[in-house]
Amino acid sequence: MFYRESGQFKTSYRADQAIFTIPQDRIFFALFMLMAYVGVPLIASDYLYTALIIPFLCLSLAALGLNILTGYCGQLSLGTGAFMGVGAVSAWNLAYRIPDLNILVVFILAGLITAAVGMFFGLPSMRIKGFYLAVATLAAQFFLPWLFVKWGWLTNHNSSGVITAPQLELFGWVINTPMEKYLFALSIVALLALAAKNLVRSNPGRQWMAIRDMDIAAEIIGIRPMVAKLSAFAVSSFYVGVAGALYLFVYLGSTEPDGFNINLSFQTLFMIIIGGLGSILGSFLGAFFILLLPIFLTRVPPMLGFEFSTALVSHLEFMVFGALIVFFLIVEPHGLARLWQIAKEKLRIWPFPY
Amino acid sequence: MNARQWVASVVMGASLAGAAFAASAQEQMIPSMVYRTGPYAPSGIPVADGYQDFITLINQREGGINGVKLRVEECETQYNTERGVECYERLKALGGTIFSPYSTGITYALIDRAPADKAVIFSMAYGRASATVGNIFPWVFTAPITYWGGASAGIQYFASQLGGKDKLKGKKIAYVYIDIAYGKEPIPVFQNYAQELGFQLELVPVPAPGLEQKSIWLQIRQMRPDFVYLQGWGAMNAVSLKEAAAVGFPREKMLGVWYSSQDSDTQAAGAAAKGYKGLTFHGASRDLPILKQLKEVVLDKGLASNGAKHFGEIGYLRGALNALFVVEALRTAQEKFGKGKVMDGEQSRWGFENINFTEEKINKMGLQGFIAPMKLSCDNHLGDGKALVVQWQGDQWKPVSDWIEPEHPKLWPLYLRDAEAYAREKNIASRVCAKS
């Protein structure tokens, strides 16, 4: 009823290949973006920006990057945290050593450096797959943070190894307030998400999915596994690298290399598992679930008027959060994105299901 | 689903702002960033308890500060940077002015935010050592000591054990540290001392989280150092103590920085910890007058946080000291900006910069043996505090030295150099302070 498609004919290839094929989706998405660009800045507080939305944007970009690799190409990776670190450290070095470099160029170059590093650590994927590959990428997770600590030049020989992001400036626009930072991060994430959406719908994406579904069959029909796998590693690492640069420059401001530890890798992996493997929307939903839901949970008992101790609230949060993960994985193993899709399908035939 | 999320968060944000408005009318909100859960909870719980109990003491005994009630608002960070930043923003929206994150990672993330937010970051003996320079870090306080000061005090203690600084020549000191920013922080100070005094410095990094140290301690046994200075964190410390016992390195020759010598560390190491020494920046024994006051006013009335399970522990005293600084800053600020008023960020900072613990004041407040006299100022956010060496008796810590003053004249040029490098990097102008 709400989502009725009858009468909407696609009369050209263009219409058939659009990202949003029906007007309802287009309207919803347009409203959503309008909300993100206009609505949020009108009503959001600093708390909302700096504590919730900006980290959400950074981590959903990282999850998106990992989703390209794991969800679309089927290559399990546990090195996301380290690759974010590569992005952050290289962006910092570029900005520090070439002060006049445009910040967008810094981000792109940082992404490219991370892509190169990611490809290098993706080489074992030629020979091994599945859990074995996960362990091989774990090597990146241990090696890279170690390198940031040992190679003093990377942190300009700072005694404690902490790097501090410079002032953000884009064509004379000084990005200072939380709202400006939010808009900056939102634009980058929106652009990259659009690029990812198109990428996975075109030739490279189809190659990745073929490799994911059955690599031998893919090879037989003429897909070169090396090109497909390494391009997935490169694109994925590019996204993760930019996410790392955003994480340092826009969100934290300064951090130590140890901040890009294995917990971050696990966190992003859980995001895409909960959100939905092989789904752009899933990366965002997963980031919301893993990052923001626990914070909301800590607020529930006080909101209901319970005066629990901080420790109890925190333990409750762990319990409820754990239970929710189990619940969602049982109800829909394909993630929140799939739930969203099912909801849309149900709305299509509501109120007369057949 | 998405739209609903946004609405929910917006409603929440609005209610937050409303709450902040209502609260600031009668009472001063005291933020308390704690970690009562997570891997580092054994360190976090005593601190959180001590902090809360000291504020309760002030509320019970004096009815707050000049009639302004203090209301502690706790927020659980789990020692996680993202959660810490969220807590900071949440507590700030509720009217908090002075924040003590109790984590290196969170502190670094907040240092950059503080000036825009007009929030005081009080990283008591942790975080960035050079934030001591008030001209460049107007919103960050490191009183009463930094890791660099700890290193300096440690070297002096070793020298006093041998009978003089010249006796250190040709000796060997091993610096065993966890290989993250926190552990790496004092290395330049040790290196300077090694050069100056002619002892051999062995740097022994332990990869985080430091739960496996067998080979490291075998290596240390081969080095045969005269002293070991330990800067570990969390579970690493107990492992170090046990491994030291296993290779037979005397615990009496091991000195741990304050975060390596807490009750949770020595209790976890059991018998292996006996004789181990630790640095503190406050008095630590069970018969301090401040503990008597806390017992009378808070504990015996059943008002203690968390059932006083950690009463009198070193972490508990540390939490109390943190609260003492906060209360003193607010009290000082009230003297200038109006008694009985709620202080904002700017005023709290002024109060902090004018904290002056004189001998007379310490005696009057019953803080004998707890803190050494110190004075903060606009350009000196450290107060040049002192350190104390305590030894683990098997069940509690006992002081075994007098107050040791770190060689501040040697450290200040280092602070200034590092702070100036930061200012250049971030393009911040140095604030001009009246001479203090």
Side-chain angles (χ1 to χ4, degrees):
Chain A
M1 181 76 173
F2 291 114
Y3 245 84
R4 208 166 48 166
E5 285 171 62
S6 60
Q8 300 181 14
F9 300 111
K10 291 155 198 145
T11 49
S12 65
Y13 284 119
R14 222 183 121 76
D16 197 37
Q17 287 172 347
I19 295 177
F20 300 109
T21 44
I22 57 171
Q24 285 98 326
D25 270 337
R26 278 199 289 276
I27 292 167
F28 176 79
F29 188 75
L31 282 177
F32 182 77
M33 289 313 280
L34 195 72
M35 181 74 192
Y37 271 100
V38 184
V40 171
L42 279 179
I43 47 178
S45 62
D46 281 5
Y47 166 78
L48 217 52
Y49 288 128
T50 47
L52 305 178
I53 307 179
I54 292 177
F56 163 75
L57 285 172
C58 298
L59 287 179
S60 29
L61 190 62
L64 178 57
L66 182 64
N67 217 338
I68 289 174
L69 184 65
T70 305
Y72 284 99
C73 196
Q75 312 295 310
L76 197 52
S77 164
L78 283 177
T80 320
F83 294 140
M84 280 179 79
V86 175
V89 169
S90 42
W92 180 81
N93 271 293
L94 287 163
Y96 176 72
R97 289 174 205 284
I98 317 170
D100 294 332
L101 209 56
N102 186 303
I103 192 75
L104 291 178
V105 179
V106 167
F107 277 32
I108 291 169
L109 286 177
L112 290 176
I113 292 171
T114 318
V117 175
M119 265 164 82
F120 176 75
F121 281 98
L123 286 177
S125 70
M126 303 293 100
R127 285 298 175 90
I128 49 180
K129 43 187 170 182
F131 292 119
Y132 301 96
L133 180 65
V135 177
T137 52
L138 204 56
Q141 183 59 59
F142 286 114
F143 172 73
L144 290 169
W146 175 85
L147 185 75
F148 302 151
V149 171
K150 287 296 159 213
W151 189 9
W153 183 82
L154 284 180
T155 52
N156 198 25
H157 303 283
N158 183 311
S159 61
S160 53
V162 171
I163 46 177
T164 300
Q167 175 76 267
L168 284 175
E169 202 184 319
L170 187 65
F171 307 121
W173 171 39
V174 178
I175 303 168
N176 227 345
T177 65
M179 193 222 282
E180 289 168 332
K181 284 181 172 177
Y182 159 73
L183 289 174
F184 177 69
L186 178 69
S187 306
I188 288 185
V189 172
L191 262 178
L192 284 177
L194 178 69
K197 183 76 191 168
N198 282 320
L199 211 54
V200 297
R201 295 174 331 125
S202 59
N203 187 7
R206 284 167 203 282
Q207 288 189 13
W208 297 337
M209 285 185 269
I211 291 282
R212 171 191 68 189
D213 292 340
M214 197 177 195
D215 50 352
I216 295 174
E219 207 173 344
I220 289 169
I221 59 168
I223 290 166
R224 282 180 296 169
M226 190 176 86
V227 174
K229 283 181 181 174
L230 286 189
S231 64
F233 265 101
V235 173
S236 154
S237 303
F238 179 88
Y239 275 77
V240 174
V242 174
L246 274 181
Y247 191 74
L248 172 67
F249 279 53
V250 179
Y251 174 44
L252 282 184
S254 49
T255 186
E256 57 173 319
D258 189 57
F260 297 102
N261 56 21
I262 190 155
N263 290 339
L264 204 54
S265 298
F266 281 132
Q267 215 182 1
T268 30
L269 190 63
F270 298 154
M271 281 174 191
I272 61 167
I273 292 174
I274 292 278
L277 288 165
S279 158
I280 304 288
L281 173 68
S283 315
F284 290 90
L285 295 180
F288 177 84
F289 188 91
I290 297 283
L291 187 73
L292 302 189
L293 193 66
I295 295 173
F296 285 120
L297 286 179
T298 61
R299 295 181 160 264
V300 172
M303 259 191 249
L304 297 177
F306 291 108
E307 286 279 338
F308 291 150
S309 73
T310 322
L312 184 60
V313 169
S314 187
H315 289 136
L316 279 175
E317 169 213 323
F318 289 137
M319 285 188 266
V320 175
F321 186 57
L324 279 176
I325 289 179
V326 175
F327 172 78
F328 275 110
L329 286 183
I330 289 175
V331 170
E332 187 45 73
H334 293 111
L336 300 172
R338 177 87 186 112
L339 276 181
W340 171 243
Q341 210 178 342
I342 292 173
K344 282 205 299 189
E345 268 162 31
K346 295 233 167 182
L347 284 177
R348 186 174 296 158
I349 49 177
W350 189 85
F352 303 115
Y354 38 78
Chain B
M1 184 161 182
N2 270 314
R4 215 179 303 156
Q5 287 158 10
W6 289 119
V7 172
S9 42
V10 165
V11 168
M12 205 191 64
S15 61
L16 259 180
F21 214 73
S24 60
Q26 331 79 6
E27 44 186 15
Q28 181 93 36
M29 204 282 252
I30 308 286
S32 173
M33 296 166 76
V34 300
Y35 35 103
R36 291 181 182 275
T37 58
Y40 301 109
S43 301
I45 293 170
V47 173
D49 289 349
Y51 191 89
Q52 181 120 33
D53 285 358
F54 188 87
I55 301 288
T56 313
L57 171 76
I58 298 295
N59 273 339
Q60 288 295 313
R61 194 177 59 188
E62 300 156 31
I65 304 170
N66 301 320
V68 180
K69 274 259 179 214
L70 307 175
R71 182 170 53 86
V72 175
E73 195 77 45
E74 276 194 4
C75 184
E76 172 72 34
T77 68
Q78 296 168 13
Y79 199 74
N80 169 323
T81 305
E82 280 145 35
R83 296 298 285 267
V85 170
E86 195 270 336
C87 274
Y88 161 79
E89 295 287 345
R90 184 194 299 195
L91 295 172
K92 187 168 60 95
L94 289 172
T97 56
I98 305 173
F99 300 85
S100 299
Y102 274 100
S103 139
T104 310
I106 304 174
T107 308
Y108 273 106
L110 298 190
I111 285 176
D112 288 340
R113 287 162 201 259
D117 295 343
K118 302 210 180 304
V120 176
I121 307 300
F122 178 32
S123 53
M124 185 178 75
Y126 54 86
R128 186 175 193 126
S130 60
T132 290
V133 181
N135 314 58
I136 289 163
F137 297 93
W139 293 93
V140 189
F141 292 82
T142 54
I145 201 167
T146 62
Y147 294 132
W148 296 2
S152 170
I155 295 291
Q156 290 183 72
Y157 181 71
F158 293 151
S160 74
Q161 292 280 291
L162 295 169
K165 265 192 185 165
D166 47 325
K167 301 269 173 31
L168 269 174
K169 198 172 172 63
K171 298 280 187 223
K172 198 184 271 186
I173 295 176
Y175 174 51
V176 182
Y177 62 100
I178 188 162
D179 205 2
I180 54 176
Y182 150 70
K184 288 159 58 116
E185 192 76 55
I187 291 175
V189 176
F190 278 115
Q191 282 167 337
N192 281 2
Y193 270 112
Q195 218 163 31
E196 185 198 323
L197 302 173
F199 62 83
Q200 196 185 337
L201 175 70
E202 296 280 358
L203 295 178
V204 187
V206 179
L211 302 180
E212 174 49 55
Q213 301 175 32
K214 249 196 176 56
S215 60
I216 288 165
W217 282 90
L218 286 172
Q219 198 189 334
I220 292 171
R221 185 170 68 173
Q222 280 175 354
M223 284 176 197
R224 304 181 142 273
D226 295 278
F227 296 102
V228 163
Y229 187 94
L230 181 69
Q231 186 144 337
W233 171 231
M236 168 182 159
N237 298 319
V239 177
S240 291
L241 287 170
K242 283 183 192 159
E243 294 296 343
V247 300
F249 188 83
R251 264 42 47 72
E252 291 76 15
K253 298 205 159 174
M254 285 173 72
L255 181 66
V257 76
W258 31 92
Y259 293 112
S260 296
S261 49
Q262 306 188 88
D263 295 62
S264 53
D265 304 320
T266 45
Q267 278 160 6
K274 194 154 186 235
Y276 170 59
K277 288 171 182 166
L279 274 175
T280 72
F281 44 89
H282 52 79
S285 71
R286 300 271 168 164
D287 44 18
L288 287 171
I290 176 81
L291 282 175
K292 266 190 211 104
Q293 300 170 36
L294 280 163
K295 189 166 173 350
E296 260 167 43
V297 182
V298 182
L299 203 59
D300 291 347
K301 295 200 179 137
L303 298 168
S305 159
N306 199 16
K309 269 183 237 140
H310 301 280
F311 184 78
E313 286 185 7
I314 219 162
Y316 183 90
L317 286 164
R318 207 156 282 164
L321 177 66
N322 195 326
L324 167 68
F325 269 106
V326 171
V327 168
E328 189 59 24
L330 292 171
R331 204 195 304 271
T332 312
Q334 281 197 11
E335 267 155 33
K336 175 164 166 97
F337 299 104
K339 289 188 177 177
K341 284 194 186 144
V342 175
M343 294 294 112
D344 64 14
E346 199 106 37
Q347 293 163 337
S348 302
R349 185 180 67 125
W350 189 92
F352 237 110
E353 284 182 341
N354 290 281
I355 286 181
N356 185 3
F357 284 114
T358 56
E359 192 86 50
E360 186 192 355
K361 198 181 219 171
I362 290 172
N363 290 335
K364 208 178 109 202
M365 293 170 80
L367 302 169
Q368 301 92 327
F370 188 46
I371 55 170
M374 73 181 82
K375 183 176 182 302
L376 276 68
S377 65
C378 166
D379 55 356
N380 183 344
H381 282 192
L382 176 67
D384 294 348
K386 294 174 184 160
L388 197 64
V389 176
V390 290
Q391 190 171 29
W392 182 248
Q393 308 294 321
D395 58 342
Q396 57 175 302
W397 297 95
K398 279 261 158 62
V400 289
S401 78
D402 282 334
W403 290 107
I404 303 171
E405 179 155 12
E407 291 182 283
H408 294 297
K410 271 188 197 152
L411 298 174
W412 269 96
L414 296 177
Y415 293 140
L416 288 170
R417 200 171 63 199
D418 194 80
E420 275 156 16
Y422 175 86
R424 260 200 313 279
E425 217 172 277
K426 297 282 282 183
N427 210 3
I428 310 175
S430 174
R431 181 172 62 131
V432 180
C433 282
K435 264 268 169 259
S436 66

